[in-house]
Amino acid sequence: MEHDIQLEPDAIPLVTATDSVSFHENFNSVKAISSEALFVKYLKPNKLDSLILITNQIKQTSLVADFNGDGIEDIVLPVRNKRNNKAGLIFFHSLTDYYVIGLGISGSALENIRYTKFEVDNSKIAYQTEIDTLTGDIIEPNQIKLINIALHMQEDEGTSGLLSWNGSKYIYIHTGA
């Protein structure tokens, strides 16, 4: 089930994060699964195989953690849109419950994923970078309490951000200039 994902900064709830970061027991074996096997297991059954391909934008073919806080591990696949070549991520909460970020999709938390380094972030608080619209200067960061663990994303030499499940959708939190 694909959900409409929109970034609404004012709607980011300030609630307590969960303390548990639950990795798949066989995380190393999941990491070792080939891109082709992940494609067959996750993309093909959801009829995404004609639009999307798994990309090698990051070293990992997948990341596994409990991103939505339901006690069950989720899998994140780095993907690329075959039609417009824009990068993205698909968070699978189950084989049929998935959330697409990027790929040029308007209304997604991000329209294109330009980050190259990804890791699970279990911080309870994020500091969203705020920019003064008149001067372009960075001002006091906005403190946000996270509901769940997040996916930390970073460019090789540049900006960083988080994708975090807020209870109904993934939101993007810009954390670095």
Side-chain angles (χ1 to χ4, degrees), residues 9 12 126-130 140-144 172-175:
I12 298 172
Y127 293 93
Q128 184 173 27
T129 302
E130 298 288 332
E140 188 70 28
N142 182 24
Q143 181 177 313
I144 300 169
Y172 174 72
I173 302 166
H174 185 74
T175 58

Side-chain angles (χ1 to χ4, degrees), residues 106-121:
S106 178
S108 172
L110 290 169
E111 284 193 31
N112 190 17
I113 303 292
R114 292 188 174 98
Y115 296 102
T116 54
K117 297 177 183 177
F118 297 83
E119 63 186 9
V120 175
D121 184 328

Side-chain angles (χ1 to χ4, degrees), residues 57 114-118 152-161 174 176-177:
Q57 178 177 338
R114 292 188 174 98
Y115 296 102
T116 54
K117 297 177 183 177
F118 297 83
H152 180 260
M153 307 175 296
Q154 186 170 347
E155 292 178 343
D156 286 332
E157 294 180 24
T159 190
S160 63
H174 185 74

Side-chain angles (χ1 to χ4, degrees), residues 135-148:
T135 65
D137 293 335
I138 296 174
I139 54 177
E140 188 70 28
N142 182 24
Q143 181 177 313
I144 300 169
K145 292 182 182 179
L146 300 175
I147 298 172
N148 297 297

Side-chain angles (χ1 to χ4, degrees), residues 68 70 72-74 91-95 97-99 165 170:
N68 65 347
D70 65 357
I72 301 169
E73 288 82 13
D74 309 309
F91 288 78
F92 281 92
H93 294 177
S94 72
L95 284 175
D97 183 18
Y98 60 90
Y99 298 82
W165 179 255
Y170 283 94

Side-chain angles (χ1 to χ4, degrees), residues 39 43-53 82:
F39 185 85
L43 299 180
K44 200 168 182 85
N46 290 295
K47 298 183 178 19
L48 299 171
D49 53 326
S50 64
L51 301 171
I52 297 171
L53 56 93
K82 289 181 181 179

